[in-house]
Amino acid sequence: MRTVEEYFDDYEIGRVRTTTGRTVTEADIVLHAGQTGDLFPHHMDAAWCATQPFQRRMAHGTLVMSLAVGMTAGDINPRAMSYGYERVRFVQPVFIGDTLRVRAEITTKREHPRRPLTHGFVDETVTAVNQEERTVLSLVHVYLVERQPGETAAEEPEENAGAPSRTSETSGISESSETSETSER
């Protein structure tokens, strides 16, 4: 890991990062269940799951989200921090043995409504797919990013000032020559 300083204006809409694969194991599910207390039979009871339409144990949605976000962690950016997650969707179940890959794309930049001279928000759409290229998770990771001293805020139409961003869901992952080696962290 390395430290890479990126200010608000350094982020480019359309910049894409992709990850290598990560296979979900039974140990992942058991550990997550123990840490969260979510011992629902969907995750822990193989005999019960065999009687259900999905017929096998599935990973917790929060585990899949944690894995996907963690897979995108890379370089450290002291000028940005995670502000939260929006529009989280668990699109398909993830089972033991599924291999996930993640695509993260900068989709929106907007001014901070109360601190437009010092900070802005950067939205990164995160999409996880399984080994069959089926989307299993979609979310928007919101970063709070410092402006470089002397950077000026762009004029924004008044009706959009401070409004939440709007992005379209991305399905699947395609290999991209636009992959960046820097992280938005």
Side-chain angles (χ1 to χ4, degrees):
M1 233 182 253
R2 59 194 176 135
T3 300
V4 177
E5 290 195 30
E6 284 189 288
Y7 291 92
F8 181 74
D9 279 350
D10 296 330
Y11 287 82
E12 295 178 26
I13 302 295
R15 183 168 69 186
V16 174
R17 300 179 296 129
T18 59
T19 71
T20 58
R22 163 70 157 80
T23 302
V24 177
T25 67
E26 179 179 20
D28 293 326
I29 293 172
V30 171
L31 182 61
H32 191 76
Q35 290 174 329
T36 63
D38 182 347
L39 303 172
F40 271 69
H42 305 76
H43 317 298
M44 303 302 295
D45 187 337
W48 181 82
C49 287
T51 69
Q52 301 303 305
F54 47 88
Q55 298 188 332
R56 53 198 164 143
R57 289 182 290 161
M58 65 177 71
H60 306 73
T62 52
L63 170 60
V64 175
M65 180 178 166
S66 296
L67 291 173
V69 170
M71 289 169 69
T72 66
D75 295 336
I76 298 167
N77 181 3
R79 302 295 167 212
M81 64 180 290
S82 179
Y83 191 75
Y85 304 93
E86 297 177 348
R87 295 183 292 284
V88 178
R89 298 292 179 265
F90 305 120
V91 181
Q92 295 279 326
V94 172
F95 301 104
I96 296 168
D98 282 355
T99 298
L100 306 179
R101 287 186 305 122
V102 180
R103 180 179 192 271
E105 178 180 0
I106 302 298
T107 50
T108 309
K109 290 171 57 174
R110 61 190 187 282
E111 307 301 328
H112 190 291
R114 291 184 305 273
R115 296 185 282 173
L117 298 178
T118 60
H119 291 82
F121 292 113
V122 174
D123 294 343
E124 183 175 59
T125 298
V126 176
T127 306
V129 298
N130 65 16
Q131 66 280 356
E132 297 168 352
E133 298 298 318
R134 292 191 178 144
T135 300
V136 298
L137 171 80
S138 178
L139 62 84
V140 175
H141 191 171
V142 181
Y143 296 95
L144 176 64
V145 185
E146 288 180 38
R147 287 186 166 283
Q148 191 163 13
E151 208 174 276
T152 58
E155 290 298 317
E156 185 174 9
E158 195 157 318
E159 67 269 10
N160 292 331
S165 67
R166 302 284 180 237
T167 58
S168 60
E169 283 193 24
T170 308
S171 62
I173 291 180
S174 60
E175 294 302 316
S176 171
S177 61
E178 302 164 340
T179 302
S180 170
E181 292 191 22
T182 60
S183 173
E184 283 65 45
R185 296 204 179 264

